Amino acid sequence: MATILLLHGPNLNLLGKRETSIYGNSTLDSINRSVSHLCFSDGHSVVNFQSNHEGALVDRIQQAMDESIDVIIFNPAAYTHTSIALRDSLLAVKIPFYEVHLSNPKEREEFRHTSYFSDIAVAVYSGLGAESYTQAAKAAIEFLDE
Ligand code: DQA
């Protein structure tokens, strides 16, 4: 049995209320439940964490190393485009991770085209709404079962 950390960046606590034409109607709770369901059915466990603070996300990634987390599924949200600190913490802990976005940042404003994570992620799932998370979870499960 493996443990997956499902990690969410700033403003994702507002999903379901926030710019629904871009991010859809699914709440963070429903996304957490779908991912947990998929992982539990395959015998893996999931821990969830959301924060609006960069340092708290860095701390959570560092903690994952002590907890022997096997895989991280991460939507860094706006930190995708700004955070060398979060990139460095993922490199430091060496835990494989999947980058997830509800929207497709590459089809949005220019400032969203840069990701500090895509080149070091196992894979990126974006533009599929809440389905981006379930696709990433399925890929993570396959990776863990290999
Ligand atoms: C996002 C895309 C980011 O550009 C944005 O800042 C977010 C959410 C997404 O899931 O589509 O907060 O990561």
Side-chain angles (χ1 to χ4, degrees):
M1 189 189 88
T3 308
I4 295 158
L5 172 62
L6 181 54
L7 192 59
H8 310 281
N11 299 306
L12 295 174
N13 54 314
L14 298 180
L15 285 181
K17 292 183 241 171
R18 170 195 184 203
E19 295 180 280
T20 53
S21 61
I22 299 174
Y23 299 117
N25 295 307
S26 300
T27 62
L28 194 62
D29 249 18
S30 72
I31 289 171
N32 285 339
R33 271 187 269 113
S34 316
V35 170
S36 295
H37 178 74
L38 275 173
C39 298
F40 288 149
S41 344
D42 207 65
H44 305 300
S45 66
V46 178
V47 286
N48 307 306
F49 184 76
Q50 187 276 331
S51 180
N52 295 324
H53 306 277
E54 189 174 23
L57 292 163
V58 168
D59 288 344
R60 190 64 191 84
I61 290 167
Q62 290 188 9
Q63 191 188 322
M65 188 164 56
D66 301 327
E67 294 168 337
S68 305
I69 295 282
D70 299 281
V71 172
I72 299 174
I73 297 173
F74 188 21
N75 184 347
Y79 290 137
T80 305
H81 322 297
T82 63
S83 184
I84 298 170
L86 284 166
R87 176 193 173 91
D88 283 351
S89 54
L90 287 160
L91 287 171
V93 301
K94 295 201 191 92
I95 300 172
F97 77 95
Y98 291 81
E99 178 184 348
V100 169
H101 302 283
L102 297 130
S103 67
N104 183 353
K106 302 267 184 263
E107 288 176 355
R108 299 179 60 194
E109 305 95 318
E110 184 93 34
F111 62 84
R112 295 185 204 272
H113 295 186
T114 301
S115 166
Y116 281 100
F117 301 90
S118 300
D119 64 313
I120 54 166
V122 179
V124 182
Y125 291 88
S126 65
L128 306 170
E131 188 66 22
S132 296
Y133 285 91
T134 45
Q135 292 295 325
K138 285 178 189 162
I141 291 167
E142 251 178 58
F143 171 86
L144 289 167
D145 291 346
E146 262 167 25

